[in-house]
Structures are given as structure tokens and as C-alpha cells.
Amino acid sequence: MPQTQPLPPAILLMGPTASGKTACALSLAQRLPVEIISVDSALVYRDMDIGTAKPSRDEQAVCPHHLIDILSPEEAYSAARFCEDARRLMGEITARGRIPLLVGGTMLYYKALREGLSDLPEADAELRREIEDAAARDGWPALHAELARLDPDAAARLEPNDAQRIQRALEIVRLTGQPLAASYARREEQTDSHRYIPLALTPSDRAVLHARIARRFDTMLLAGFVDEVVALRKHYQLDPGLPSMRCVGYRQALEYLDGYIDLPTMRDKGIFATRQLAKRQITWQRNFRENWGDLVEIDCLADDLATQVCTRVEQAL
């Protein structure tokens, strides 16, 4: 029988916010011929630099970076589009004789890339308008109650005012006549084009990570984060419901600029939201550890973190 060619490698470097992913990626770029593909639902947006901790121009100059600054903050990005973009870029990078290095903390994108996307119906504009009209008339808690009648399990996972998720859940249930679990269980078959080398940066002490998060948020404020949001509002038509404005920090900054909260409260709420994001990211990684037998976890608080990451990757190549 003819021997099959081994799949080319692709490195997956994931971790919660403030875990040191950028520094590790740049260390890898100093030692290996990599090109970085951002796995971050916030870095896709132009002019959102400070609040997203976007790599600086100097950092991006170390090696080619992809999927950064590709959209206006008025636009939306999805896991499906990420998978399409990432697979195309991985093929192009490999064809250039280089190694794709996927870096970021949007865990849904990693899951979609490795496990495939759920077979969900596409958005139905007319049905969405019908749901939005009902929400304007009756309020989102009333639609949450309707979802509870149609799909109790889905409703139990959502807050009564979580407009975006209630809308999508109702849309799917009405279109398919089935609960969300049935739709999510159907996944597209996906043939891997690369051999993945997945590494997860995980904190051995949550308190230390929380302190890092607070320091980083304070650094963002000193760097002009609020002024960045003011400038965004001048250049774009923004509202809190946009995906870009649901990024941690930005919604809190809008609340502050609109006079609903003061600056100390904005800081506290921004730090709390970032800590909650990190908690969710770590939970995702725990699930990956259970489902991916090849996942390597490294303590992101280790003094020699970058060296450990480089060593693990070089051993796996």
C-alpha cells in the first residue's frame, strides 16, 4: 500500500487573558519560521487597540500576523468565518514553507476548527425582525419565558435579558422545531489538513492571574483606553449590542461615557468582566484537556514560560 504523506504541523497556543500568549508567540517566532494567525474575536476590529491588548506594530513586525484589523467595529465576525479564513491561511503559510501558529483566547474558534461547526440553520432576517418586534413590545423576559416553554434546557442557561442569545435560540427552535441540543449535536464532517500541536497556558494560582488582569486594565486606562472609545464613537455608529462593543472593557467604557457609572466603577466592572472571561477560558481549556488527548498544559505563571513553550513545540515538530 502506498504510504500517506504526514500532515504538516500547525501550532495552537491558547490561554486565558493576561496569561502571556503574545510573549510566548514572539519567542517562538525568534526560533521557528512561523506566521501568526490570531484566534481572537476582538483583534479582528480596526481602531480597537488599547482595550484589546492588540500586539504593537513592533511586535507584529517580528513575523507576519493574520486576522488582525480586518473589520470595522460595526461589522460582525463568526466562528464559521474564522474557520474558513484560518484554513485558507494555514494552507497558504504551509505552501510558503512556514508553520502556522494560531494564538489567542477565543476558545470557541479553536473548538470549531478542531471539532467542526454545529449544523445550525442560517440566520432568517424576517424571523429575527419578528422576534425583535416582539421584544420591543413585550420585553426580552417575556421571550425568555417563551423559550422556556419551547426549550427549557436552553432557557435555563440564559439570563432573561440576554437579548442576543435568546433571539438566536428562539430562531433556531422555531426554524428547526427541535431544541438547541439537537441542532448542536449535528456537526459538519471536517477533514484535518494539518497536524495540530495544541498548548494551553493555565495558571497554577488564579489569584496571581487576577492581579495581572487588574494591573493590565489599569495600564490600559493610563494608556488612554477611554479616549480610544471616545474616538471610536466619533468614527463609527456604535451601540452596546454590537459584537465589538461586547468585548470586555468596551461595554463598561460606554456605560461610563453615557453617565451611567463613574470612572472607579467602570474600572471595577471592567476588571470583574475580564476575570469572568478568564474563568470561562480556563473552563474551555479544561474541556479540551478531557477531549483532546494531545493537549499539553503549561503553567503560565512559570518564570521560564517562554522557554517551556518553545521546548515543547520543538519536541513535537
Side-chain angles (χ1 to χ4, degrees):
M1 294 178 62
Q3 289 189 338
T4 57
Q5 284 288 105
L7 294 176
I11 305 160
L12 309 182
L13 179 61
M14 64 192 73
T17 184
S19 60
K21 296 183 295 294
T22 297
C24 288
L26 296 179
S27 292
L28 281 169
Q30 299 284 0
R31 298 169 65 159
L32 296 169
V34 299
E35 294 190 26
I36 291 174
I37 299 174
S38 172
V39 188
D40 192 304
S41 60
L43 297 192
V44 296
Y45 295 113
R46 292 186 290 271
D47 300 322
M48 291 174 56
D49 302 331
I50 298 172
T52 63
K54 190 174 291 179
S56 67
R57 289 186 178 181
D58 288 344
E59 288 172 330
Q60 292 188 47
V62 172
C63 72
H65 284 62
H66 305 278
L67 300 188
I68 294 178
D69 293 336
I70 61 173
L71 294 181
S72 154
E74 298 168 329
E75 298 178 271
Y77 199 62
S78 67
R81 182 169 171 188
F82 167 78
C83 289
E84 181 181 333
D85 290 342
R87 291 188 182 110
R88 170 180 53 80
L89 288 164
M90 288 162 61
E92 293 171 356
I93 292 167
T94 298
R96 289 192 284 270
R98 301 174 68 84
I99 303 170
L101 169 57
L102 290 84
V103 183
T106 301
M107 303 301 170
L108 174 61
Y109 290 2
Y110 286 114
K111 181 178 177 65
L113 187 66
R114 288 208 74 177
E115 300 179 15
L117 287 163
S118 298
D119 185 17
L120 298 177
E122 294 186 2
D124 183 290
E126 185 174 344
L127 180 55
R128 286 201 167 187
R129 280 195 299 270
E130 181 182 318
I131 294 170
E132 288 169 358
D133 289 345
R137 183 181 65 249
D138 304 324
W140 285 107
L143 292 186
H144 183 266
E146 178 188 345
L147 179 64
R149 291 192 298 273
L150 298 172
D151 188 346
D153 290 339
R157 294 193 296 270
L158 302 178
E159 295 295 326
N161 284 302
D162 192 342
Q164 183 194 21
R165 290 182 174 85
I166 293 171
Q167 180 190 57
R168 181 58 173 151
L170 273 175
E171 180 184 34
I172 292 170
V173 172
R174 288 188 187 180
L175 286 171
T176 65
Q178 295 181 315
L180 262 66
S183 294
Y184 278 111
R186 297 192 303 271
R187 294 191 175 276
E188 297 175 356
E189 290 296 325
Q190 182 60 50
T191 302
D192 285 335
S193 62
H194 287 70
R195 172 176 60 89
Y196 293 114
I197 302 171
L199 293 93
L201 308 185
T202 308
S204 55
D205 187 337
R206 296 275 187 100
V208 176
L209 183 68
H210 291 169
R212 279 191 188 179
I213 287 170
R215 285 196 302 271
R216 190 165 81 166
F217 200 85
D218 285 336
T219 300
M220 289 175 178
L221 289 174
L222 290 172
F225 173 48
V226 173
D227 291 336
E228 176 176 89
V229 181
V230 170
L232 285 167
R233 296 183 94 176
K234 287 181 180 178
H235 290 95
Y236 303 100
Q237 295 292 321
L238 301 179
D239 67 71
L242 285 170
S244 61
M245 292 299 102
R246 290 198 300 271
C247 297
V248 291
Y250 286 89
R251 174 172 285 180
Q252 292 76 26
L254 290 179
E255 288 185 77
Y256 164 65
L257 291 171
D258 287 336
Y260 294 114
I261 56 177
D262 59 18
L263 187 59
T265 303
M266 188 272 276
R267 173 192 178 271
D268 291 344
K269 290 183 72 172
I271 291 172
F272 178 77
T274 310
R275 286 173 57 173
Q276 291 299 106
L277 169 63
K279 180 180 178 181
R280 293 193 299 272
Q281 291 168 318
I282 292 169
T283 300
W284 274 100
Q285 291 185 173
R286 187 181 305 124
N287 292 335
F288 292 159
R289 182 177 67 230
E290 293 171 358
N291 295 316
W292 301 355
D294 54 356
L295 182 69
V296 172
E297 288 191 283
I298 300 175
D299 180 11
C300 68
L301 306 180
D303 292 335
D304 62 342
L305 173 61
T307 299
Q308 286 194 49
V309 168
C310 291
T311 300
R312 290 283 193 159
V313 169
E314 289 172 340
Q315 289 172 346
L317 286 173

